[in-house]
Amino acid sequence: MLAVAGCGGGSLSHGALVKRTGAVCSAYLSQAAEPVPHPRSYAEIVAFVNRTLPLYRAALRQLEALRPSHADETDFRSWLAADREAASALRALGLAGERHDYPGTTAAVVRLQQAALASRAAAESLGVTACSAG
């Protein structure tokens, strides 16, 4: 019974996976800072990253703890890989902002956008709409 419910080390059914990942994403989105559409300073970029990255990493750790079914494994791992790249790009953005490094900031934004697109696509392929929004 515990394995069927997704506890005790067993894998989650597709429905349970969608529900659990949706809950993680909804919690993250309710706490995360809104993106700064047109930052006017490096300080705004750094502040955004400092507010967002710890929450993003915490959500990612929660997702990494989930065990999808064999049928969902490939899509789920692709999604986590895209999210790890997004976290790495977000960190690079903060570091570039701290250095007042315009080329580095620009490169990090491009990486972050690409990773976000990949993450949304992977979440959509799993049917996790809470994570594919925005």
Side-chain angles (χ1 to χ4, degrees):
M1 182 67 168
L2 290 177
V4 172
C7 303
S11 64
L12 295 167
S13 69
H14 180 75
L17 181 68
V18 168
K19 183 177 179 180
R20 298 269 301 271
T21 56
V24 170
C25 290
S26 293
Y28 164 75
L29 292 171
S30 72
Q31 297 174 29
E34 287 294 316
V36 181
H38 302 288
R40 300 187 196 286
S41 69
Y42 289 109
E44 287 181 5
I45 293 169
V46 171
F48 168 75
V49 171
N50 287 343
R51 285 189 314 268
T52 305
L53 187 56
L55 297 171
Y56 196 85
R57 285 180 172 162
L60 183 55
R61 281 191 301 274
Q62 289 178 324
L63 293 174
E64 289 171 334
L66 300 177
R67 298 293 167 241
S69 68
H70 181 70
D72 289 328
E73 182 78 24
T74 300
D75 288 339
F76 187 72
R77 295 294 164 219
S78 295
W79 181 29
L80 291 181
D83 282 341
R84 286 184 197 105
E85 174 58 20
S88 175
L90 191 57
R91 182 175 185 277
L93 178 62
L95 293 173
E98 288 173 356
R99 292 189 311 267
H100 295 204
D101 175 4
Y102 182 77
T105 301
T106 302
V109 166
V110 170
R111 277 182 59 206
L112 184 56
Q113 290 171 337
Q114 291 171 339
L117 288 173
S119 175
R120 280 189 208 111
E124 287 173 4
S125 74
L126 282 167
V128 185
T129 57
C131 300
S132 61

